[in-house]
Amino acid sequence: MCPKATMFKRGQNCKTQCIDCKILTLLKKHNTKKINQVVGISNNVLKKHLDMGFFNKSKNIVIYNGFKNSKKTIKTKPIGNQFIVGYIGQMAKHKGIEILFNSVHKINTDVNWKLILAGKINDETTGIAKGLIQENKVEFLGYTQSKIFYAQV
């Protein structure tokens, strides 16, 4: 549907497939006729594909993402230890990075915490992070091997 797999353009979600995406995914759409079964991560995502004519000859099933959004109180480690929040991946609005920034911004000031970010980040997202998070509370690693990142979180 979208070569970037984001359906996001000019700062907002796309409601329909733009002409560029239609042209660039024409062959992919045609090839989905050869697929026996397709798995969507939600009814909405699967329906979007089917409504746009992708996988119209395929059986389909939904297997949901394993994330449940809920408000929880996190018990922190004893004083002297640091609570680490880590994020690895593309840091962009369509990935929900602002939700993470807003969430860590709300962490109690008594908690010794740090946010470690690994992956691609643009200037706009960096500015948002710096506007919400104290400089000594965030570390931007840039592109890094996952093994190195996970050893720090």
Side-chain angles (χ1 to χ4, degrees):
M1 289 187 340
C2 175
K4 295 181 286 184
T6 60
M7 292 289 291
F8 193 81
K9 195 174 189 177
R10 295 185 185 103
Q12 57 188 335
N13 291 319
C14 301
K15 290 184 174 49
T16 61
Q17 193 181 32
C18 68
I19 191 70
D20 294 345
C21 289
K22 283 182 183 180
I23 292 168
L24 291 169
T25 60
L26 193 60
L27 183 59
K28 285 183 182 182
K29 183 176 180 177
H30 174 75
N31 286 335
T32 66
K33 294 175 185 174
K34 301 173 187 175
I35 303 296
N36 293 324
Q37 187 162 10
V38 62
V39 176
I41 61 166
S42 71
N43 284 317
N44 185 43
V45 168
L46 185 57
K47 185 177 182 320
K48 264 188 181 177
H49 282 82
L50 297 173
D51 288 350
M52 290 187 183
F54 289 79
F55 307 105
N56 56 7
K57 293 185 178 182
S58 308
K59 293 179 187 175
N60 59 70
I61 187 171
V62 174
I63 300 177
Y64 296 95
N65 280 331
F67 176 76
K68 183 178 178 184
N69 189 5
S70 63
K71 291 184 177 183
K72 292 185 179 182
T73 302
I74 299 171
K75 294 181 181 178
T76 59
K77 298 176 184 177
I79 307 265
N81 289 330
Q82 195 171 42
F83 178 70
I84 304 289
V85 178
Y87 178 93
I88 187 170
Q90 183 182 7
M91 290 171 264
K93 188 174 181 177
H94 69 273
K95 294 290 188 177
I97 194 71
E98 288 182 50
I99 295 168
L100 175 61
F101 295 160
N102 284 315
S103 297
V104 297
H105 176 70
K106 295 174 184 175
I107 294 176
N108 188 318
T109 56
D110 296 343
V111 177
N112 182 13
W113 65 274
K114 184 176 188 176
L115 174 62
I116 299 177
L117 303 167
K120 182 180 179 182
I121 188 165
N122 61 35
D123 291 339
E124 178 187 7
T125 306
T126 303
I128 293 167
K130 289 182 178 178
L132 289 172
I133 306 167
Q134 298 171 23
E135 196 170 319
N136 65 334
K137 295 288 189 183
V138 64
E139 183 178 346
F140 294 98
L141 300 177
Y143 284 109
T144 190
Q145 293 178 6
S146 58
K147 182 179 175 180
I148 294 168
F149 170 78
Y150 288 117
Q152 296 182 54
V153 295

